[in-house]
Amino acid sequence: MENTAVGDQKSQLKLSNFLCFAIYSTANAVTRAYQPRLAALGLTYPQYLVMVVLWEEENQTVKAIGNKLSLDSGTLTPLLKRLETARLITRRRDTFDERQVLIGLTEEGRSMRERAEAVPVAMGQAFGCTMDEAQAMRSELITMRDNLVASIDEAK
Amino acid sequence: MENTAVGDQKSQLKLSNFLCFAIYSTANAVTRAYQPRLAALGLTYPQYLVMVVLWEEENQTVKAIGNKLSLDSGTLTPLLKRLETARLITRRRDTFDERQVLIGLTEEGRSMRERAEAVPVAMGQAFGCTMDEAQAMRSELITMRDNLVASIDEAK
DNA sequence: GCATATTAACTTGCACACAATTTAATTGTG
DNA sequence: CACAATTAAATTGTGTGCAAGTTAATATGC
């Protein structure tokens, strides 16, 4: 049936739009939802992500942090300078490769980890979904993200 | 089994983190993936979203557009001014309620719709998923977004 | 060994997002 | 009718994201 095929295609085009928008507006909501929970720590959501990466492992390069968060130095450099000003992290040139900057934690940054434990607890409840749903969603999103990223160079 | 319960809870806390990050980094990838496809139209992704809303219905207030896109006037006002400068939209005060500004399309903005049809086609392919997967994902994301938004006031 | 290419971080410029405040217009209440 | 409360946009200030270009250090090819 030709009409069905055409109908399918049209709705897919609309859906692809709506899916993009769903991701976009949910991401905005994630940032807004973190804000009141991070206020006590004085962190923004991207700053919190950097701290999470550093709590996992100290003394990482800007490049390594960028790879983990999919952010480039144009975004990270000013963000890291703000965390340095807040005395949460340290920045020092790698002695063996002076191109690299190693990001470490101050004692204050290290000790913030404990106070930050409440944040994912509160956020987990805010989502209102089960662990299985969250895991399935996460896995599908990462697949889509990697597909999208792979498609970018082709589109240029 | 106590260990299992504790293990479950810990992994849920991590997962809630990872789910947030998956949404966040996928949304960044969405914006980057749109960019080369919107370059020919001279639009950013948020600008494209506003145009889509206006192609559906002309002469909407800033408030109405903001409700549909979950954006406030602080974001929309400068964005709309850029679209006006690009001669794609018109802005005029509502005669019956001078607080409101009605956003319309110029002939140029209206005619861009046809050229923009290729964008969702390309993006749909870039996602690399079936229509059913896209629809399921979209529906779950919207549910989570609404849960998140509902949780924000409580957290303040 | 030295010129060239590559790499890491930084910088610049632009466009969001959003909290908080301001301004102007309308609505609601006594 | 007067006047307080509400509403819609705009404005201000801060913090991302990211493309494009710069600088300095390291790696590579001949």
Side-chain angles (χ1 to χ4, degrees):
Chain A
M1 281 194 188
E2 285 149 24
N3 279 341
T4 306
V6 172
D8 281 356
Q9 196 176 2
K10 274 194 181 170
S11 56
Q12 184 169 27
L13 300 189
K14 282 204 172 181
L15 268 177
S16 72
N17 254 320
F18 291 157
L19 176 56
C20 289
F21 175 65
I23 296 167
Y24 162 82
S25 67
T26 305
N28 286 344
V30 165
T31 303
R32 287 200 305 273
Y34 264 102
Q35 198 269 322
R37 281 130 180 156
L38 290 172
L41 303 175
L43 295 176
T44 65
Y45 179 56
Q47 289 169 3
Y48 168 75
L49 288 178
V50 169
M51 294 302 290
V52 169
V53 168
L54 291 172
W55 287 326
E56 292 271 329
E57 182 184 342
E58 291 193 35
N59 297 315
Q60 297 190 61
T61 63
V62 175
K63 187 76 178 175
I65 297 171
N67 284 339
K68 288 174 182 168
L69 300 180
S70 298
L71 294 173
D72 69 4
S73 68
T75 300
L76 283 175
T77 297
L79 186 156
L80 292 168
K81 285 185 176 174
R82 276 174 217 118
L83 290 179
E84 188 184 32
T85 302
R87 301 187 181 288
L88 296 173
I89 68 163
T90 58
R91 297 177 342 123
R92 60 185 167 83
R93 287 277 162 188
D94 185 337
T95 317
F96 300 104
D97 186 343
E98 294 274 352
R99 289 172 304 181
Q100 300 184 146
V101 169
L102 291 171
I103 308 297
L105 288 170
T106 63
E107 195 45 58
E108 200 177 335
R110 217 171 282 125
S111 71
M112 180 182 270
R113 183 178 190 163
E114 207 174 332
R115 284 192 293 148
E117 303 251 319
V119 175
V121 180
M123 286 301 296
Q125 291 170 344
F127 269 108
C129 68
T130 68
M131 189 176 78
D132 286 348
E133 285 172 333
Q135 189 159 20
M137 176 73 88
R138 176 192 158 276
S139 152
E140 287 174 69
L141 279 168
I142 297 296
T143 302
M144 285 189 186
R145 184 193 68 187
D146 294 344
N147 287 341
L148 281 177
V149 170
S151 80
I152 294 179
D153 283 338
E154 303 166 25
K156 279 180 182 167
Chain B
M1 283 191 191
E2 284 151 23
N3 279 340
T4 307
V6 172
D8 281 355
Q9 197 177 0
K10 274 194 179 169
S11 56
Q12 186 170 26
L13 300 188
K14 282 204 169 180
L15 269 177
S16 71
N17 253 319
F18 291 157
L19 177 55
C20 289
F21 174 66
I23 296 167
Y24 162 83
S25 67
T26 306
N28 286 344
V30 165
T31 303
R32 288 199 305 273
Y34 265 102
Q35 197 270 322
R37 282 132 182 154
L38 290 172
L41 303 175
L43 295 176
T44 64
Y45 179 56
Q47 289 169 4
Y48 168 74
L49 288 177
V50 168
M51 294 302 289
V52 169
V53 168
L54 290 173
W55 287 327
E56 291 273 328
E57 182 185 343
E58 291 193 36
N59 297 316
Q60 299 189 61
T61 63
V62 175
K63 187 75 178 174
I65 296 171
N67 283 339
K68 287 175 182 168
L69 300 180
S70 297
L71 295 173
D72 68 5
S73 67
T75 301
L76 283 175
T77 296
L79 187 157
L80 292 168
K81 285 184 176 174
R82 277 173 219 119
L83 289 178
E84 187 185 32
T85 302
R87 301 186 181 288
L88 296 173
I89 67 164
T90 58
R91 296 176 344 123
R92 60 186 166 81
R93 287 276 161 188
D94 186 337
T95 317
F96 300 105
D97 186 343
E98 293 274 351
R99 290 172 304 181
Q100 300 183 146
V101 169
L102 290 170
I103 308 298
L105 288 170
T106 63
E107 196 44 58
E108 200 177 335
R110 217 171 282 126
S111 71
M112 180 183 271
R113 181 179 192 163
E114 206 174 334
R115 284 191 294 149
E117 304 251 317
V119 175
V121 180
M123 286 300 297
Q125 291 172 343
F127 269 107
C129 69
T130 68
M131 189 176 78
D132 285 349
E133 285 171 332
Q135 189 159 21
M137 176 74 87
R138 177 192 158 276
S139 153
E140 288 174 68
L141 279 168
I142 297 296
T143 301
M144 287 189 184
R145 185 193 68 187
D146 294 344
N147 288 341
L148 282 177
V149 169
S151 80
I152 295 179
D153 283 336
E154 303 167 26
K156 279 182 182 167

